[in-house]
Amino acid sequence: MFKFMKLVANENMKIYRRPRTYVMLGLMLALIAAISIITYFVDDTHNTLAWNMIFTESMISYMLITVFTIIIASGSVADEFTSGTIKLLLIRPWSRSKVLLSKYIAVLLYALGMAVVMLLFSFILNTVLFGYQDVTASEVVSPLVSGSVAAYLLKYSLLKYVSLVVTTTLAFMLATVSRSGALAIGLSLFLILGVNSFAPLLATLKYKWADYLLFIHLDLTQYLDDAPMRDGMTLGFAFFVLAIYYVIFVGLAWYVFKKRDVAA
């Protein structure tokens, strides 16, 4: 187990040695800072709640994190084929499954790290600028929501991360199957950002099979406000549908990687 964790650590080093990793992090933090600082100087009444800013920036940032993680996930496998270093990986006494799993875990840790840094930075910055207010979720999110705003933010973040895991797995699978980072990034972004934008329209379909469409369930936060896109849909059912797609994506990636002559 310890040796496997060293393999995961090696994959993390590959991610954090590249300048693009820090450029993407810098862009996200700069955007958050810009939104908060501009709002602070524009709001003459100074009635802006820090929690309102945190939620606004979280929604924007999670979209950026999704795009950045897709880029990292797509390059994690495809870049090994492009540079030919995949052969060096397979010389080591590791099975192909463990090599692929280490890359997958490293990508998920990157996504988690980005989300944690984003939330902490946004919370600290907005608390400094606007002050800390002890408010409830109903005052910030919706009158239909009750409880602590911090607890709501935690649930919101967890559900966003689950969706991020599914999206990342899709990109990871496409990169593994195609061995092309550019194709995986382009196709993943098209599916997630393009097709997903039509999710509300897809939700209006009267057919039963529409209940099982991936894009209708990717935004799990719809269930926090008890406002699902389709009547009768529940969070449990959404998890079930996403789990089916997740197993398909993972299974396809592992099958192709193990069967392909990657050393050629």
Side-chain angles (χ1 to χ4, degrees):
M1 182 63 181
F2 177 73
K3 291 183 179 180
F4 176 72
M5 293 310 296
K6 289 180 65 177
L7 187 61
V8 175
N10 181 60
E11 292 301 327
N12 273 291
M13 287 175 57
K14 292 180 182 179
I15 293 175
Y16 293 105
R17 271 205 307 254
R18 295 176 178 175
R20 70 181 181 187
T21 301
Y22 299 98
V23 170
M24 291 187 291
L25 176 62
L27 287 174
M28 182 183 70
L29 298 182
L31 179 61
I32 292 173
I35 294 174
S36 295
I37 293 172
I38 291 173
T39 302
Y40 177 79
F41 286 106
V42 169
D43 181 20
D44 296 327
T45 62
H46 298 292
N47 290 327
T48 302
L49 295 176
W51 287 107
N52 286 124
M53 298 303 301
I54 293 169
F55 272 99
T56 299
E57 291 165 358
S58 294
M59 287 188 288
I60 297 172
S61 297
Y62 270 112
M63 181 62 69
L64 283 178
I65 292 173
T66 299
V67 174
F68 295 158
T69 307
I70 285 175
I71 294 173
I72 296 296
S74 299
S76 178
V77 178
D79 289 352
E80 299 282 5
F81 287 99
T82 303
S83 62
T85 52
I86 189 64
K87 300 177 184 179
L88 299 177
L89 274 177
L90 297 179
I91 291 175
R92 299 178 179 181
W94 299 106
S95 66
R96 294 187 180 190
S97 294
K98 288 184 177 179
V99 169
L100 197 62
L101 180 60
S102 66
K103 291 181 173 295
Y104 182 64
I105 291 176
V107 171
L108 294 186
L109 288 176
Y110 166 82
L112 179 61
M114 288 283 283
V116 170
V117 170
M118 176 270 293
L119 289 171
L120 289 176
F121 182 76
S122 180
F123 177 80
I124 294 172
L125 176 63
N126 288 295
T127 299
V128 170
L129 291 176
F130 303 102
Y132 180 82
Q133 304 90 4
D134 188 13
V135 294
T136 62
S138 60
E139 298 176 74
V140 177
V141 183
S142 167
L144 302 176
V145 180
S146 60
S148 165
V149 65
Y152 184 92
L153 178 62
L154 179 60
K155 295 176 184 177
Y156 176 89
S157 300
L158 289 174
L159 291 178
K160 278 292 187 182
Y161 186 72
V162 171
S163 300
L164 182 57
V165 168
V166 176
T167 304
T168 300
T169 307
L170 170 62
F172 194 81
M173 179 271 292
L174 291 173
T176 304
V177 172
S178 67
R179 295 194 295 183
S180 170
L183 178 62
I185 293 172
L187 189 54
S188 297
L189 291 180
F190 169 75
L191 291 173
I192 301 304
L193 302 181
V195 178
N196 198 36
S197 63
F198 293 99
L201 182 61
L202 296 173
T204 62
L205 295 173
K206 302 299 182 181
Y207 304 104
K208 183 63 178 177
W209 54 261
D211 292 344
Y212 299 92
L213 291 175
L214 171 65
F215 304 101
I216 291 178
H217 301 289
L218 270 182
D219 183 13
L220 292 172
T221 59
Q222 62 185 296
Y223 300 101
L224 277 179
D225 303 332
D226 197 23
M229 292 185 187
R230 289 174 68 83
D231 293 335
M233 295 293 96
T234 64
L235 181 60
F237 181 77
F239 273 121
F240 171 73
V241 173
L242 291 180
I244 293 176
Y245 282 101
Y246 179 83
V247 171
I248 293 173
F249 296 156
V250 170
L252 189 56
W254 255 255
Y255 177 80
V256 171
F257 190 75
K258 289 188 70 174
K259 293 297 183 181
R260 176 172 285 155
D261 184 14
V262 293

